[in-house]
Amino acid sequence: MRATARIKRLGIALGVLALLVWCAWDIDWSSFRYFSWGSFRGTVMSLLRPDWSAFYTGSTEDIFSLMVMTIAIGFFGTSIGTILAIPFTILSARNLWKNPVVPRIGKFVLDVLRAFPELVYAIIFIKVVGPGPFAGVLAIGIHQVGMLGKLFTEEMERMDETAVEACQAVGANGVQTMFFARIPQLMPIYASLALNHFEIAVRSASTLGLVGAGGIGATLIFAIQAARWPRVSIILLTVIVTVFLLDLLTGWIRKRLR
Amino acid sequence: MKIKDTVHFQWYKTLFVAALLALCLFGSIRYTQADFGQLAGNISQVSVFLRKLANPDFGYLGRLIDPMIKTLKMSALGTVLGVLLAIPFAFLATTVVTDNPVVTHIFRFFLNIIRTIPNLLLAALLVAVIGIGEATGVITIAIFTFGVTSQLIFETIETIDMSPLESAMAVGANKLKIAVWAVWPQIAASVLSYAFYAFELNVRASTVLGYVGAGGIGVKLNEALGLFRYERVFMIILFIFAVVVIVDAVSEAIRRRLR
């Protein structure tokens, strides 16, 4: 028995190894041919010397104001996402409808909204409102509707129905049970989820600049293309520190909401 | 809950939070130069786009198979490398094995930083440092996987049953032996399921990696977007979505059999 188990385990391990070798075989490793340790070390060394003077120059194009812009895009996008997610949640929560078709349609719409990456939304909205931060806001907003709508619906379906039943027992209608039983119970959870997605939104807002949707990403990509490593490192440092601080802040608020 | 905790007695707090949120919202609206008039005026662009989306170019599917297989290979290799690298770091980021809070804090801080960098920026940085190509894609995926799974693994290590550790310690096992013989058997199944989860995330993220030229299906997506061929864009997204669903089903089946 033990021998067969061991052979089986060995077989699985060999199979996985063979699969990995097959994967590695087919990948084009040629970009390593131009790789030299000397230039790599040079890049890393200049990345370790951030260009502090670029952080704040007083103009609207310095890294500080671009980071504030990125946070604003994240905040506005999350606000749009949170507000628009609520009607979708009401549409797609199974426990709010006697008819099983309506929630299925709602969930399908949310799945479709989530299937598109933010970058694709950003490119579409750039065509609609022109390049700039507003395109980024709309891209993040629409993507967040799909994300938050799904999470909100799951929380709605998982909620404790006793308060709802108590309200119905004393004759409350649908709107009244919504306001007096469902919302008080779900509000802290929804606020917590929205805060968590605000942090995620800031992180993705910092990348949307790559396609021209505002924020710090465009500056970063130009700096990378021009190989201005001290500038790259101050931008990355700003993004990392900001996201880290937001993580701490939203974590603190979320802990208090519970 | 005391009666003083209800909304009626804490209205000033609610009002303060609402005012703060409204202030942030108006500030961000001003700052991002939001113009809903423009959005309403150009909404026809969206309908053009939606019409193209409504009929995806199914004939294009044949030319997507090869890049998709390439994406899956890159994701598989990157995931395995990332998870293998994440395991020792996750052990160092908990006090369970090292018993040293200073080491734990240093490694946790390092892992936090890795996790903070958005994967698109990571890809852009690696493309600049190493050069464009599929190898860069694999490394990006590996680092991204490392960031995601290391946190999940160290959180799992913290919740394990301590009694096997104590018995191993009682018979004089050193730290490496404790890690391998007392901790690892408890977390192996979870690590495997995190690896599958990361693999799925990586297949999704392939759309983004192509944008910086790191190979796979994302390059096709980028081409289609650049040429405004939205019927192809939708086909690619549909295909990625289908593959993610299949990957999910397969990993679910494998995990169930291993349990």
Side-chain angles (χ1 to χ4, degrees):
Chain A
M1 180 61 211
R2 274 191 68 184
T4 49
R6 198 171 280 175
I7 287 168
K8 200 175 159 195
R9 192 173 278 184
L10 196 71
I12 291 172
L14 279 177
V16 171
L17 198 68
L19 194 70
L20 284 177
V21 169
W22 178 66
C23 289
W25 194 260
D26 199 39
I27 283 165
D28 174 18
W29 298 98
S30 65
S31 64
F32 283 144
R33 214 178 297 151
Y34 307 104
F35 181 82
S36 79
W37 279 106
S39 70
F40 179 74
R41 196 170 332 127
T43 310
V44 172
M45 286 318 276
S46 42
L47 274 174
L48 289 175
R49 285 195 308 268
D51 177 12
W52 299 103
S53 62
F55 181 70
Y56 189 80
T57 58
S59 82
T60 54
E61 290 291 306
D62 64 6
I63 288 154
F64 174 73
S65 12
L66 283 172
M67 197 62 228
V68 175
M69 169 76 86
T70 308
I71 297 172
I73 293 172
F75 188 83
F76 192 15
T78 312
S79 306
I80 291 178
T82 311
I83 293 165
L84 288 183
I86 289 167
F88 279 105
T89 308
I90 293 171
L91 202 66
S92 53
R94 223 181 316 119
N95 50 354
L96 296 184
W97 297 86
K98 288 202 181 65
N99 184 343
V101 180
V102 179
R104 214 163 282 164
I105 294 171
K107 281 194 181 122
F108 177 73
V109 173
L110 290 177
D111 281 342
V112 171
L113 284 176
R114 248 175 320 122
F116 287 88
E118 265 156 345
L119 221 53
V120 174
Y121 282 123
I123 290 164
I124 295 162
F125 281 117
I126 283 170
K127 281 195 78 188
V128 178
V129 296
F134 190 44
V137 168
L138 293 171
I140 287 177
I142 298 298
H143 190 71
Q144 299 272 34
V145 172
M147 304 284 279
L148 285 171
K150 180 184 177 247
L151 294 171
F152 284 4
T153 306
E154 279 172 0
E155 288 299 334
M156 180 78 93
E157 288 175 350
R158 206 187 299 154
M159 76 177 280
D160 181 11
E161 296 278 337
T162 39
V164 177
E165 277 163 24
C167 279
Q168 278 164 350
V170 293
N173 62 23
V175 178
Q176 281 166 334
T177 50
M178 195 72 194
F179 274 95
F180 290 98
R182 292 192 192 277
I183 290 180
Q185 203 185 116
L186 292 171
M187 201 59 180
I189 305 169
Y190 283 11
S192 170
L193 289 172
L195 272 173
N196 183 23
H197 276 73
F198 169 53
E199 189 214 319
I200 295 172
V202 171
R203 210 175 290 184
S204 47
S206 63
T207 64
L208 288 181
L210 252 75
V211 293
I216 206 161
T219 318
L220 178 63
I221 208 79
F222 291 147
I224 287 176
Q225 277 163 359
R228 292 168 66 187
W229 303 116
R231 198 172 155 79
V232 172
S233 90
I234 182 72
I235 296 172
L236 278 178
L237 207 61
T238 312
V239 173
I240 290 170
V241 170
T242 309
V243 175
F244 190 66
L245 290 179
L246 278 177
D247 195 17
L248 286 183
L249 180 72
T250 55
W252 180 72
I253 300 174
R254 290 175 70 191
K255 207 170 276 174
R256 296 203 51 185
L257 277 172
R258 236 175 273 142
Chain B
M1 193 198 245
K2 286 184 221 129
I3 192 146
K4 290 270 182 204
D5 293 338
T6 56
V7 177
H8 309 279
F9 287 89
Q10 301 221 329
W11 60 270
Y12 54 91
K13 247 188 200 170
T14 315
L15 196 69
F16 174 71
V17 172
L20 197 69
L21 282 177
L23 197 73
C24 287
L25 185 58
F26 281 106
S28 59
I29 290 173
R30 282 283 297 281
Y31 212 82
T32 54
Q33 299 137 25
D35 184 359
F36 284 99
Q38 204 178 10
L39 178 64
N42 291 334
I43 207 77
S44 60
Q45 283 283 343
V46 176
S47 71
V48 168
F49 167 78
L50 285 178
R51 210 173 309 135
K52 280 191 174 172
L53 281 195
N55 31 21
D57 182 3
F58 284 104
Y60 190 51
L61 188 62
R63 276 191 277 162
L64 290 177
I65 306 278
D66 277 346
M68 182 50 102
I69 289 173
K70 183 65 69 98
T71 289
L72 288 174
K73 283 179 178 172
M74 283 166 58
S75 303
L77 205 58
T79 308
V80 171
L81 288 177
V83 172
L84 286 182
L85 201 63
I87 293 167
F89 276 88
F91 272 103
L92 289 170
T94 55
T95 48
V96 173
V97 178
T98 60
D99 214 12
N100 184 343
V102 179
V103 173
T104 302
H105 276 108
I106 292 171
F107 276 97
R108 258 189 212 190
F109 187 71
F110 171 70
L111 294 179
N112 266 331
I113 286 178
I114 296 279
R115 221 157 27 84
T116 314
I117 306 176
N119 56 357
L120 188 55
L121 297 189
L122 195 66
L125 194 66
L126 286 171
V127 164
V129 175
I130 302 173
I132 215 158
E134 290 161 7
T136 315
V138 174
I139 293 175
T140 312
I141 293 170
I143 296 178
F144 175 65
T145 309
F146 172 75
V148 174
T149 53
S150 59
Q151 195 205 9
L152 291 170
I153 296 173
F154 82 63
E155 281 173 356
T156 312
I157 294 177
E158 281 181 342
T159 60
I160 58 167
D161 177 13
M162 289 298 188
S163 39
L165 271 79
E166 279 163 23
S167 27
M169 236 178 286
V171 295
N174 64 18
K175 283 184 172 147
L176 188 68
K177 281 180 180 157
I178 291 175
V180 174
W181 298 108
V183 182
W184 175 249
Q186 293 191 54
I187 62 166
S190 308
V191 170
L192 192 71
S193 76
Y194 298 148
F196 278 113
Y197 166 71
F199 180 62
E200 195 193 315
L201 279 186
N202 290 334
V203 175
R204 274 180 209 272
S206 60
T207 51
V208 168
L209 286 181
Y211 202 81
V212 288
I217 191 105
V219 173
K220 292 280 164 202
L221 179 69
N222 192 23
E223 268 173 30
L225 279 169
L227 299 168
F228 305 113
R229 301 287 296 267
Y230 291 123
E231 69 281 6
R232 286 186 174 180
V233 170
F234 193 51
M235 189 62 243
I236 295 169
I237 287 167
L238 214 61
F239 190 36
I240 293 173
F241 190 67
V243 170
V244 169
V245 169
I246 294 169
V247 165
D248 201 30
V250 170
S251 72
E252 186 72 42
I254 293 176
R255 265 179 287 167
R256 205 177 310 126
R257 286 192 66 182
L258 284 176
R259 222 175 277 143

